[in-house]
Amino acid sequence: MTDSTVIHLAHPLIQHKLTLMRQKDTSTMSFRRLLHEISMLMAYEVLRDAPVHMIEIETPLETMQSPAIDGKKTVLVAIMRAGQGFLDGMLEVVPSARVGHIGLYRDPTTLQAVEYYFKVPQDMSERDVIVLDPMLATGNSAVAAVDRIKATRPRSLRFVCLLAAPEGLRHFHAHHADVPIYTAAIDRELNDHGYIVPGLGDAGDRIFGTK
Ligand code: URA
């Protein structure tokens, strides 16, 4: 993986589901279901180069060596609260993955990330971490989360979002040029309130129906 990598997940199924999610009349139930589906599709792309090892199995005809993923080495770290919405779909694809949580909220005036919770598995140096947050807006939360996770010395680290703003991508890569970002879209800009436009609104509110 080269420095400052942004992988745009342009698969038509991902793009179609994102179009439905962006629409303001999409219900909470549909938004959640679409996020579940899109996160499964994104997991497929994000894990394209996941390490495999050979295991011995018995087919009905003979013994063979066959590739297997060590899912337990994968840690999905959700940035709360919206990152939580990405988890179920990803876990459906990698059911044995471990899960970490980082609680960050955006101070509404400074837009800076403030941490209130952090829990990840032990032995991070043997694990590949995928950080999940649907919206890479200012990049402050993403930078703070990756700072914190890097301190646990994971074997590898990647960041997955649905939408990224150009400002957020620049900010993130100014701090973490070594961490690849996977995104379904790069939108035009941030507005004065730090929202991505055209965007899809507040991801947390749309997932949890809090507005
Ligand atoms: N967080 C969101 O949920 N939406 C945005 O547009 C920006 C940050």
Side-chain angles (χ1 to χ4, degrees), residues 106 135 137 190 194-196 199-204:
R106 240 186 354 168
M135 310 301 271
L190 290 182
Y195 278 89
I196 299 176
L200 51 71
D202 187 301

Side-chain angles (χ1 to χ4, degrees), residues 5-25:
T5 304
V6 179
I7 298 113
H8 177 218
L9 304 180
H11 193 289
L13 282 170
I14 294 177
Q15 294 303 314
H16 177 81
K17 289 179 193 303
L18 180 57
T19 297
L20 299 175
M21 293 178 79
R22 285 181 185 277
Q23 294 174 31
K24 65 176 194 249
D25 293 332

Side-chain angles (χ1 to χ4, degrees), residues 185-201:
I186 301 171
D187 274 11
R188 193 177 67 246
E189 60 188 353
L190 290 182
N191 70 12
D192 293 343
H193 304 288
Y195 278 89
I196 299 176
V197 280
L200 51 71

Side-chain angles (χ1 to χ4, degrees), residues 7-133:
I7 298 113
H8 177 218
L9 304 180
H11 193 289
L13 282 170
I14 294 177
Q15 294 303 314
H16 177 81
K17 289 179 193 303
L18 180 57
T19 297
L20 299 175
M21 293 178 79
R22 285 181 185 277
Q23 294 174 31
K24 65 176 194 249
D25 293 332
T26 296
S27 67
T28 299
M29 188 182 76
S30 298
F31 190 91
R32 216 181 269 153
R33 183 177 45 76
L34 287 161
L35 181 57
H36 184 85
E37 292 168 359
I38 212 169
S39 49
M40 287 169 65
L41 297 169
M42 290 178 77
Y44 178 85
E45 297 276 1
V46 172
L47 293 167
R48 188 173 281 283
D49 61 354
V52 291
H53 59 279
M54 303 306 273
I55 58 172
E56 189 169 289
I57 59 165
E58 302 263 348
T59 78
L61 300 176
E62 63 178 37
T63 301
M64 70 173 286
Q65 297 287 320
S66 195
I69 287 183
D70 192 353
K72 287 182 285 205
K73 297 283 185 213
T74 301
V75 184
L76 304 173
V77 178
I79 301 182
M80 296 195 286
R81 73 183 161 141
Q84 188 75 22
F86 254 142
L87 273 180
D88 290 348
M90 296 246 171
L91 282 171
E92 211 152 309
V93 180
V94 204
S96 52
R98 300 317 193 214
V99 175
H101 288 90
I102 178 158
L104 296 168
Y105 68 88
R106 240 186 354 168
D107 184 297
T109 39
T110 63
L111 301 184
Q112 291 301 311
V114 183
E115 182 181 315
Y116 62 90
Y117 188 78
F118 185 77
K119 185 85 180 174
V120 294
Q122 292 180 330
D123 309 326
M124 291 286 275
S125 59
E126 293 165 18
R127 300 184 194 271
D128 301 305
V129 173
I130 301 173
V131 184
L132 306 172
D133 191 350

